[in-house]
């Protein structure tokens, strides 16, 4: 069964695949574009990074980007990175069901499993991202205006605690006693 995590992983990789190579998005921006809770997406992105499909960068120009391998990856690669091998029914697992030799439904499940793997394996992220289909905005939310990629690379990611350039730092004010102020 394909889980919600696999769905979120596919959403995120398709958003990133639609960007030019080397472009990055911070977690908040990526979560917004995918309509996924950031905390959940973070866990999914960690799985994709472990599988070598995603690179995470820290700092002012940080964010997430697809690796070169991911740009050639299939939907099946993304699903397997998060879920392992997707299975329609337990009887198609290796050593799955003891009734497989006599079960009239087993060949149907087996064929459906093979076809699902063929379809997912034959669908490339690069092809899907280049199809030009924009995801509809989430219900009840206005459509987001896309931003230029150059702005996203140069803009610091606020959610990681990095100050925006040009802002003055704020120091805590000291009390009169701390400053050694004399009474007037």
């Amino acid at each position: 069964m394909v889980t919600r995590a696999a769905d979120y992983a596919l959403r995120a990789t398709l958003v990133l695949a639609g960007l030019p190579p080397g472009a990055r998005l911070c977690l908040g921006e990526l979560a917004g574009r995918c309509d996924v809770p950031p905390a959940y997406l973070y866990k999914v992105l960690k799985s994709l990074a472990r599988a070598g499909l995603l690179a995470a960068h820290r700092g002012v120009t940080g964010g997430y980007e697809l690796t070169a391998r991911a740009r050639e990856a299939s939907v099946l690669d993304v699903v397997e990175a998060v879920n392992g091998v997707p299975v329609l029914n337990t009887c198609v697992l290796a050593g799955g069901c003891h009734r497989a030799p006599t079960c009239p439904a087993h060949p149907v499940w087996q064929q459906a499993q093979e076809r699902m793997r063929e379809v997912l394996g034959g669908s490339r992220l690069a092809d899907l991202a280049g199809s030009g289909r924009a995801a509809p905005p989430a219900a009840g939310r206005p459509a987001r205006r896309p931003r230029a990629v150059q702005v996203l690379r140069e803009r610091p990611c606020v959610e990681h605690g990095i100050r925006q350039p040009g802002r003055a730092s704020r120091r805590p004010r000291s009390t009169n006693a701390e400053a050694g102020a004399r009474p007037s």
Side-chain angles (χ1 to χ4, degrees):
M1 179 174 186
V2 177
T3 64
R4 183 175 301 211
D7 176 42
Y8 290 173
L10 184 58
R11 289 186 206 182
T13 54
L14 286 175
V15 167
L16 293 170
L19 299 175
R24 300 173 184 164
L25 290 175
C26 66
L27 179 64
E29 181 70 21
L30 186 56
R33 288 187 182 201
C34 298
D35 193 29
V36 175
Y40 197 129
L41 185 60
Y42 177 74
K43 293 176 186 179
V44 170
L45 296 177
K46 280 179 33 179
S47 297
L48 292 171
R50 272 191 299 259
L53 298 174
L54 204 66
H57 303 276
R58 292 183 178 200
V60 175
T61 60
Y64 294 93
E65 70 176 306
L66 290 183
T67 61
R69 176 178 165 238
R71 292 202 173 270
E72 299 301 318
S74 68
V75 173
L76 182 61
D77 295 328
V78 173
V79 171
E80 286 180 340
V82 177
N83 279 21
V85 178
V87 178
L88 288 174
N89 189 312
T90 57
C91 76
V92 295
L93 289 171
C97 179
H98 68 281
R99 298 180 333 164
T102 59
C103 177
H106 183 76
V108 174
W109 284 118
Q110 191 66 42
Q111 184 180 19
Q113 179 72 26
E114 290 169 12
R115 292 272 165 76
M116 179 184 71
R117 289 185 61 82
E118 285 174 22
V119 170
L120 295 178
S123 302
R124 302 272 168 226
L125 292 178
D127 297 337
L128 293 174
S131 69
R133 286 187 182 178
R141 289 190 188 171
R144 288 179 158 227
R145 217 177 69 206
R147 296 187 209 172
V149 174
Q150 292 79 15
V151 173
L152 292 173
R153 282 190 68 115
E154 296 170 5
R155 191 180 95 216
C157 191
V158 177
E159 68 190 63
H160 293 106
I162 302 164
R163 288 185 299 120
Q164 301 242 350
R167 288 193 178 172
S169 65
R170 300 185 84 173
R171 293 187 183 134
R173 293 183 184 189
S174 60
T175 62
N176 285 345
E178 290 174 353
R182 289 175 271 178
S184 30

